[in-house]
Amino acid sequence: MKKGISLILAALMLLTLAACNGTTPSQAAGNSSASSQADAGSSGALGEEKPTLKTVTPGKLTMSTDAGFAPYEYVEGEKVVGIDADIAQAIADYYGLELVIQDMDFTNALLAPQNGTADFAAAGVSITEERLETMDFTMEYAESEQVILVRKGFADIQEEKDLANMKIGVQQSTTADLYCQDMEYTNVNAYKKNLVAAEDLNNGQIDCMILDNMPAKAILQQNEAELEILDMVLFTDVYALAVKKGNSEMAEALNVVLKKLIDEGKIQEFTKTHMDASM
């Protein structure tokens, strides 16, 4: 395991310790940018004076996402819905803005705030050391486990080291992709969409997929006869909203609403609603 994954795992251990001590996840991660933003957001409350929110398009709040990541974002009819969409709508409503959701592949969704075409990215975006170099994050609002999805009865993966000999499918630019790079696995197919990888898994083009637990469950719901999730967690990471590097004003404004949603249990409600709907 290379240094990047080790440092991420160490940070996640600190997150767990921080939760036990009553500190915020951002404080535990040691991310000075995310920590200061979370502190600024937590000092306010809904009903108090709202921070100034300068958006890329006046009167609109633009979120970039990849709507193939149920239950966080998926398409229902012609509309992008999901946990992240509900969070974004709550933020837009608070600031009196119209929500605009831009659906694209995950790599471009991460780039959009940096390019000035979106105010923030929300697509089950994990905080990693690599991403901290090019973007800033809000406070964390969810935790995710990375699991292995295989065809039913596939018994060649008994422990993590067996992955070195597998044909692995991941979604491009995700933490699963970064994990495989860090582990120096050589037989990895990086897909723009998890659903395309799932099709190849069904057809035997790859041996397994590495992805977040909840999207894996959503895929499994549609392929119960063919696929299964192994009883193995590779690592755990945390989700946050991503903003342009240095845009502390946007991060602080998003944190005001995020903190309120977390405190009131709204994100748990969003999660249950969309887990039920996508499964």
Side-chain angles (χ1 to χ4, degrees):
M1 185 176 292
K2 291 168 66 182
K3 185 177 181 182
I5 284 293
S6 299
L7 290 174
I8 294 170
L9 292 175
L12 291 169
M13 289 175 67
L14 286 175
L15 287 175
T16 303
L17 290 173
C20 295
N21 292 330
T23 55
T24 65
S26 293
Q27 290 169 333
N31 171 13
S32 59
S33 174
S35 178
S36 61
Q37 293 159 6
D39 291 343
S42 64
S43 65
L46 299 188
E48 297 180 359
E49 185 177 350
K50 301 173 185 178
T52 302
L53 189 57
K54 183 179 179 181
T55 58
V56 295
T57 303
K60 300 180 186 294
L61 182 70
T62 304
M63 174 183 109
S64 57
T65 193
D66 175 0
F69 197 69
Y72 285 92
E73 32 272 313
Y74 57 101
V75 176
E76 193 174 77
E78 297 183 354
K79 185 178 179 181
V80 176
V81 298
I83 300 166
D84 287 336
D86 284 354
I87 292 171
Q89 188 63 63
I91 295 169
D93 289 346
Y94 176 60
Y95 289 106
L97 300 169
E98 177 189 350
L99 177 63
V100 177
I101 299 179
Q102 299 177 343
D103 182 19
M104 58 195 75
D105 66 69
F106 187 74
T107 300
N108 285 323
L110 292 183
L111 289 173
Q114 317 313 316
N115 295 336
T117 57
D119 296 306
F120 67 96
V125 183
S126 304
I127 299 175
T128 68
E129 288 187 343
E130 292 90 344
R131 290 173 184 166
L132 284 169
E133 294 177 0
T134 59
M135 63 190 77
D136 285 340
F137 291 91
T138 63
M139 64 196 335
E140 298 92 351
Y141 63 90
E143 186 176 280
S144 176
E145 296 176 335
Q146 295 288 315
V147 298
I148 304 170
L149 189 65
V150 298
R151 293 184 299 281
K152 270 197 172 176
F154 188 80
D156 292 352
I157 303 175
Q158 297 296 320
E159 49 189 329
E160 186 177 5
K161 68 178 183 180
D162 296 331
L163 288 169
N165 301 316
M166 299 296 111
K167 295 179 181 178
I168 304 170
V170 296
Q171 187 175 17
Q172 190 177 67
S173 300
T174 61
T175 50
D177 189 7
L178 297 174
Y179 164 81
C180 289
Q181 293 176 35
D182 201 77
M183 296 297 289
E184 299 182 345
Y185 294 147
T186 57
N187 202 354
V188 179
N189 291 348
Y191 297 83
K192 287 189 175 182
K193 299 285 186 180
N194 270 328
L195 293 179
V196 178
E199 290 178 7
D200 277 2
L201 179 59
N202 261 330
N203 296 330
Q205 301 300 308
I206 56 177
D207 297 318
C208 65
M209 286 177 62
I210 299 174
L211 70 167
D212 300 60
N213 187 40
M214 286 201 287
K217 287 181 177 179
I219 291 173
L220 186 62
Q221 182 67 20
Q222 305 302 318
N223 298 270
E224 288 182 315
E226 298 84 16
L227 304 178
E228 62 182 338
I229 299 172
L230 295 183
D231 187 19
M232 183 188 308
V233 176
L234 295 176
F235 60 93
T236 303
D237 53 9
V238 290
Y239 292 161
L241 305 179
V243 302
K244 185 174 184 177
K245 189 72 175 175
N247 193 354
S248 58
E249 179 183 334
M250 177 62 66
E252 290 166 5
L254 299 178
N255 274 336
V256 170
V257 187
L258 273 177
K259 184 177 187 303
K260 182 68 171 177
L261 294 174
I262 292 168
D263 289 347
E264 293 185 347
K266 293 295 185 182
I267 293 179
Q268 290 181 333
E269 291 179 16
F270 298 160
T271 301
K272 184 180 187 308
T273 296
H274 292 288
M275 280 295 290
D276 291 344
S278 61
M279 296 178 64

